[in-house]
Amino acid sequence: MPISQDTAETDGQLMGGFGIIDEKGRLSLSKPVRNALGVQAGSSVAFIVLDHALLLIPQDAHLAALMERGAAALSAAGLTVQDVLDELPAARAEVMREAYSAEFLEELDQLHAAAQRSKGTDGRDA
């Protein structure tokens, strides 16, 4: 279990500490550090290594704002999330047609069909 010791705080701004990276590469953040960053279990964070230092940036508020903007854009366009999901297969097919030759796509279809034929009725390899 990683250990952490907090350093002194000055007006709630100066905060640091020490920790131990566990065998899975994880580092625990102490409760005061988590509180100062506004993160909890399951929070999304971005990190940047800069000149041998690690910069940790909470992303929950940023992701929430992006979701709100996305929902507003869909609503303004008169679309729902399901509308977008329903169009994904056709959009994927169009991108594939634009990116790859007809011969390649035909070969891919043939390989896929052969793989399906080799499967048993229960979905497992025959």
Side-chain angles (χ1 to χ4, degrees):
M1 176 69 108
I3 330 174
S4 178
Q5 276 187 317
D6 291 327
T7 60
E9 296 180 36
T10 306
D11 298 308
Q13 297 298 312
L14 175 62
M15 187 170 301
F18 299 91
I20 298 174
I21 306 290
D22 72 11
E23 66 280 351
K24 292 186 178 182
R26 297 175 298 199
L27 173 67
S28 285
L29 299 177
S30 67
K31 188 172 184 174
V33 171
R34 292 191 313 268
N35 288 342
L37 292 174
V39 297
Q40 58 190 5
S43 288
S44 180
V45 295
F47 53 90
I48 300 167
V49 176
L50 182 64
D51 198 21
H52 301 285
L54 179 65
L55 179 61
L56 189 67
I57 307 158
Q59 295 294 294
D60 288 346
H62 177 70
L63 292 175
L66 284 175
M67 287 174 41
E68 287 176 17
R69 287 176 51 201
L74 286 175
S75 179
L79 297 171
T80 66
V81 171
Q82 191 60 50
D83 294 334
V84 173
L85 292 174
D86 291 344
E87 290 297 319
L88 284 178
R92 179 186 176 277
E94 183 178 336
V95 168
M96 292 289 289
R97 281 191 302 276
E98 290 175 3
Y100 301 102
S101 70
E103 295 81 17
F104 174 79
L105 294 176
E106 184 177 327
E107 182 179 345
L108 192 61
D109 285 340
Q110 290 171 358
L111 289 170
H112 184 262
Q116 291 301 314
R117 285 192 301 273
S118 73
K119 295 209 180 261
T121 57
D122 62 0
R124 293 185 297 174
D125 289 334

